[in-house]
């Protein structure tokens, strides 16, 4: 017997409709590309999203068409998420930091008909324009007067397109399983692969985000996604914030710590989301300026493992707790979030915050051995991580030769880790970064974490280097705190007290900066190249790269 409940589809547009109706005055504050802050309410965002839907229709965009988006986080870009979904189109969020070759590949593969972009990202298309096979025009997210001179043809001004457009728009009659967003993996190995999110997966992912075991947000919160919307669906923020009626603070392109700090304090941000490197830089900024973080109570971090010392300092010095999340482009946004139980002491709480956390309702995880058999949740049995659930990819877009899931339908993540009895996941490595020394795994994440805990080390990275006897050995590359003269021997002595003896890196090299990928991960491919001539298995002592 079927239930007798109303049948409403889970659609992205329902989110902005809700925010408009119930939290219409709640502010969206943006640092514009031009510089000044802009503020308006969800009511205005919804109205302009509908006007953009009209504009897209006028340009001939139909249900299922792809529209590329290459922009920093600000209100106009937020509007396009709803406007595009509102005509049944698919917004392909493009990482403007992609290499030109990958940019061209993804736009052509997605067959984007138009590109929505801001003045800051516009130039990246100028050199590749002729190679974009399907793009009919560029819609610049700006007022006409703020559009810079450009060699691009077929430029449309976003504000002009909206001007005079009807403020009412009947949202397209989409099925909740229809595609709504498209995001490509970074493609560090091989071509980038597209993940096609659906209305349903986006709504359920955002719902999970709002629950207390996720990020846990409501209308009393002010959220600042420092993570760009092009990185893994903006971690779900474009949908979760309006769903919760939370105030939204969008930092635009200005990622300098003083600018971010000004917004955090000035706009009373309560929760901010960013990759660990941003928080490491923010701590440097706070130490240098003696500033605090205002009303900021919590951060959410992920995309890479945050050093335990970072979590500890944020909490002890600034009263900011960390929720650490794990996810990947293939999983829409986060799958797991770390939250310590009430009543445990500080050390135990820190232990839990340092894990990648527990899955929220709607997604499941497991780690499996080499034969694919699930390993016990015992806090030590390590294997490959797999994931399944409402917002996890089933296949890659137009790439059926590259399976995303195993024979049982579980996503193959390429991550290695174990799960504790309490359900908290602990990642030890990306499979391709694993260090296999004498047949045993050494966790590069754990080593990096331990090294970054040294008071004179700002950031640390560990790569595998070949070794005659042990096949591979860890090699540590570190950035010294300004003014510090810490030596390789000091760092090794520090590590000797914290990791097993056979985990100790063969050597330590100091560098002024560790390279990062466009999504804030340590770029190990670049590091391996940079240190290719090293054979630390034979060397001793300290090396300076500065
Ligand atoms: P990109 O390569 O574009 O950054 P993703 O964001 O999809 O792509 O990267 C996902 C990968 O990032 C995961 O498979 C994992 O290796 C790593 N990752 C994500 N979150 C964490 C985390 N909390 N701790 C450690 N690694 C993480």
């Amino acid at each position: 017997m079927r239930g007798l409940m109303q049948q409403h589809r889970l659609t992205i547009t329902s989110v902005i409709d809700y925010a408009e109706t119930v939290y219409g005055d709640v502010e969206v504050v943006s640092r514009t590309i031009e510089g000044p802050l802009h503020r308006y309410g969800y009511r205005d965002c919804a109205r302009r999203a509908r006007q953009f839907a009209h504009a897209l229709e006028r340009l001939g965009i139909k249900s299922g068409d792809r529209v590329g988006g290459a922009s920093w986080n600000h209100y106009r870009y937020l509007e396009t998420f709803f406007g595009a979904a509102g005509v049944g189109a698919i917004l392909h969020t493009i990482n403007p930091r992609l290499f030109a070759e990958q940019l061209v590949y993804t736009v052509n593969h997605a067959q984007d008909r138009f590109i929505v972009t801001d003045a800051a990202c516009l130039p990246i298309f100028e050199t590749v324009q002729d190679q974009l096979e399907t793009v009919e025009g560029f819609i610049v997210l700006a007022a006409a007067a703020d559009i810079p001179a450009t060699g691009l043809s077929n430029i449309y001004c976003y504000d002009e397109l909206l001007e005079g457009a009807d403020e009412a728009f009947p949202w397209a009659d989409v099925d909740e399983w229809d595609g709504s967003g498209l995001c490509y993996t970074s493609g560090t190995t091989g071509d980038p692969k597209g993940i096609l999110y659906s209305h349903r997966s986006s709504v359920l992912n955002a719902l999970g985000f709002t629950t207390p075991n996720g990020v846990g947000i409501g209308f009393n919160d002010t959220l600042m996604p420092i993570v760009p919307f092009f990185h893994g669906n903006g971690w779900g923020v474009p949908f979760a914030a309006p769903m919760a009626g939370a105030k939204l603070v969008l930092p635009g392109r200005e990622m300098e710590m003083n600018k971010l700090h000004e917004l955090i304090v000035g706009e009373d941000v309560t929760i901010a989301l960013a990759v660990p490197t941003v928080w490491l830089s923010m701590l440097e900024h706070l130490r240098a300026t003696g500033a605090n973080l205002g009303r900021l109570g919590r951060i959410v971090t992920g995309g890479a493992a945050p050093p335990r010392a970072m979590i500890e300092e944020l909490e002890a010095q600034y009263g900011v707790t960390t929720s650490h999340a794990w996810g990947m482009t293939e999983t829409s946004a986060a799958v797991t979030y770390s939250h310590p139980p009430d009543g445990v002491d500080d050390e135990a709480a820190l232990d839990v915050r340092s894990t990648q956390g527990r899955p929220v309702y709607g997604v499941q995880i497991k780690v499996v051995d080499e034969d694919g058999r699930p390993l016990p949740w015992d806090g030590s049995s390590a294997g490959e991580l797999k994931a399944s659930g409402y917002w996890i990819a089933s296949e890659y877009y137009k790439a059926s030769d590259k399976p995303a899931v195993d024979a049982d339908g579980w996503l193959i993540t390429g991550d290695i880790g174990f799960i504790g009895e309490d359900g908290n996941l602990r990642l030890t490595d990306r499979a391709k970064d694993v260090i296999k020394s004498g047949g045993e795994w050494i966790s590069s994440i754990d080593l990096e974490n331990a090294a970054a805990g040294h008071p004179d080390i700002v950031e640390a990275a560990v790569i595998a280097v070949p070794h005659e006897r042990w096949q591979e050995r860890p090699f540590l590359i570190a950035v010294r705190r300004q003014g510090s003269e810490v030596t390789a021997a000091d760092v090794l002595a520090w590590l000797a007290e914290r990791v097993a003896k056979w985990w100790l890196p063969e050597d330590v090299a100091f560098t002024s900066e560790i390279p990062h990928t466009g999504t804030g991960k340590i770029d190990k491919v670049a590091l391996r190249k940079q240190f290719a001539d090293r054979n630390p298995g034979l060397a001793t002592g300290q090396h300076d790269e500065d």
Side-chain angles (χ1 to χ4, degrees):
M1 189 189 287
R2 280 172 77 82
L4 297 174
M5 304 310 284
Q6 299 183 4
Q7 298 193 354
H8 293 289
R9 287 170 240 175
L10 300 171
T11 60
I12 282 174
T13 45
S14 72
V15 175
I16 198 66
D17 285 346
Y18 170 80
E20 174 181 33
T21 311
V22 184
Y23 297 106
D25 293 328
V26 170
E27 278 186 323
V28 177
V29 181
S30 314
R31 183 163 329 261
T32 58
I33 299 300
E34 297 75 45
L37 291 188
H38 170 277
R39 50 182 83 235
Y40 70 2
Y42 280 123
R43 183 175 298 113
D44 306 293
C45 177
R47 173 175 48 79
R48 285 170 56 91
R50 290 191 293 268
Q51 290 180 302
F52 182 54
H54 276 293
L56 286 175
E57 240 184 23
R58 256 185 282 133
L59 291 169
I61 292 292
K62 293 191 211 51
S63 199
D65 283 350
R66 273 79 63 206
V67 175
S71 166
W72 296 103
N73 298 359
H74 43 71
Y75 71 99
R76 290 185 178 96
Y77 194 30
L78 181 70
E79 292 160 6
T80 68
F81 278 72
F82 300 104
V87 295
I90 289 154
L91 185 70
H92 163 208
T93 47
I94 299 168
N95 181 347
R97 294 171 180 148
L98 283 183
F99 296 118
E101 193 186 312
Q102 292 181 332
L103 183 80
V104 170
Y105 175 86
T106 55
V107 170
N108 287 342
H109 188 266
Q111 297 177 296
D112 293 333
R113 289 190 54 193
F114 283 85
I115 305 268
V116 175
T117 182
D118 65 17
C121 299
L122 196 57
I124 62 170
F125 294 103
E126 286 173 351
T127 51
V128 298
Q129 169 169 222
D130 295 343
Q131 299 168 54
L132 305 178
E133 291 158 6
T134 55
V135 175
E136 296 159 41
F138 297 87
I139 302 171
V140 187
L141 297 166
D146 296 320
I147 298 182
T150 167
L152 287 172
S153 41
N154 292 334
I155 290 280
Y156 297 81
C157 165
Y158 180 78
D159 280 10
E160 273 180 6
L161 284 175
L162 265 56
E163 226 169 74
D166 196 339
E167 294 181 4
F169 183 87
W171 296 131
D173 187 19
V174 296
D175 187 287
E176 65 179 23
W177 296 97
D178 285 348
S180 61
L182 180 62
C183 190
Y184 283 79
T185 60
S186 291
T188 38
T189 49
D191 286 333
K193 298 187 285 281
I195 323 299
L196 183 56
Y197 308 122
S198 65
H199 282 261
R200 175 189 162 91
S201 68
S202 302
V203 170
L204 290 175
N205 172 254
L207 261 179
F209 180 114
T210 62
T211 62
N213 296 344
V215 177
I217 55 166
F219 64 88
N220 284 317
D221 282 305
T222 298
L223 244 69
M224 177 153 139
I226 301 171
V227 53
F229 288 165
F230 56 76
H231 185 200
N233 224 355
W235 296 4
V237 175
F239 312 121
M243 189 181 271
K247 178 179 162 183
L248 203 47
V249 179
L250 304 175
R253 72 161 152 179
E254 297 195 35
M255 291 290 146
E256 296 85 15
M257 290 306 128
N258 60 338
K259 291 285 185 186
L260 295 176
H261 183 261
E262 196 179 289
L263 276 182
I264 289 174
V265 175
E267 294 301 325
D268 287 333
V269 171
T270 60
I271 301 174
L273 304 94
V275 291
T277 53
V278 169
W279 296 117
L280 292 172
S281 302
M282 183 57 78
L283 282 173
E284 285 281 285
H285 174 77
L286 297 176
R287 279 187 225 111
T289 57
N292 62 31
L293 286 167
R295 285 195 60 213
L296 189 71
R298 285 191 284 152
I299 64 150
V300 179
T301 196
R308 184 186 172 97
M310 177 196 111
I311 302 177
E312 193 171 12
E313 187 174 350
L314 276 168
E315 189 157 356
Q317 304 296 323
Y318 304 98
V320 175
T321 55
T322 298
S323 180
H324 171 193
W326 170 82
M328 53 200 301
T329 309
E330 286 87 336
T331 68
S332 306
V335 169
T336 61
Y337 296 89
S338 71
H339 295 287
D342 285 346
V344 297
D345 63 33
D346 289 355
E347 212 45 36
L350 199 55
D351 284 344
V352 176
R353 289 195 194 286
S354 303
T355 71
Q356 274 69 16
R358 281 191 275 229
V360 283
Y361 167 75
V363 275
Q364 305 168 65
I365 55 167
K366 64 179 176 183
V367 289
V368 298
D369 66 14
E370 277 164 15
D371 300 320
R373 281 186 302 252
L375 290 164
W377 291 21
D378 59 5
S380 64
S381 301
E384 191 188 350
L385 176 65
K386 299 211 168 165
S388 154
Y390 295 139
W391 53 87
I392 307 228
S394 61
E395 58 186 277
Y396 291 111
Y397 178 58
K398 289 197 302 190
S400 46
D401 54 320
K402 298 171 192 146
V405 297
D406 65 16
D408 300 325
W410 285 70
L411 178 78
I412 303 159
T413 69
D415 284 327
I416 307 287
F418 54 83
I419 304 173
E421 278 172 21
D422 56 3
N424 281 304
L425 167 70
R426 186 178 277 276
L427 285 194
T428 53
D429 253 311
R430 190 98 183 114
K432 59 182 191 291
D433 296 335
V434 151
I435 302 164
K436 219 164 187 185
S437 173
E440 299 271 357
W441 283 344
I442 295 176
S443 163
S444 65
I445 292 183
D446 283 356
L447 266 181
E448 286 160 3
N449 242 317
H454 189 289
D456 282 335
I457 300 292
V458 177
E459 196 175 12
V462 173
I463 53 171
V465 289
H467 192 279
E468 279 166 22
R469 176 154 178 221
W470 304 111
Q471 290 86 49
E472 279 183 351
R473 292 292 299 152
F475 178 59
L476 179 73
I477 300 142
V479 179
R480 287 192 189 101
R481 186 144 293 153
Q482 229 178 0
S484 156
E485 288 179 5
V486 68
T487 65
D490 298 335
V491 176
L492 291 174
W494 166 272
L495 287 176
E497 287 173 23
R498 287 163 178 83
V499 301
K501 192 154 175 270
W502 64 278
W503 277 36
L504 276 184
E506 285 303 303
D507 203 0
V508 182
F510 292 102
T511 180
S512 53
E513 200 181 342
I514 285 178
H516 290 100
T517 67
T519 50
K521 293 178 173 43
I522 293 175
D523 190 343
K524 298 210 171 170
V525 177
L527 280 178
R528 280 186 207 112
K529 264 193 213 140
Q530 193 180 337
F531 292 93
D533 58 337
R534 291 295 171 87
N535 191 348
L538 304 173
T540 49
Q542 171 190 339
H543 300 283
D544 264 284
E545 287 302 312
D546 302 25

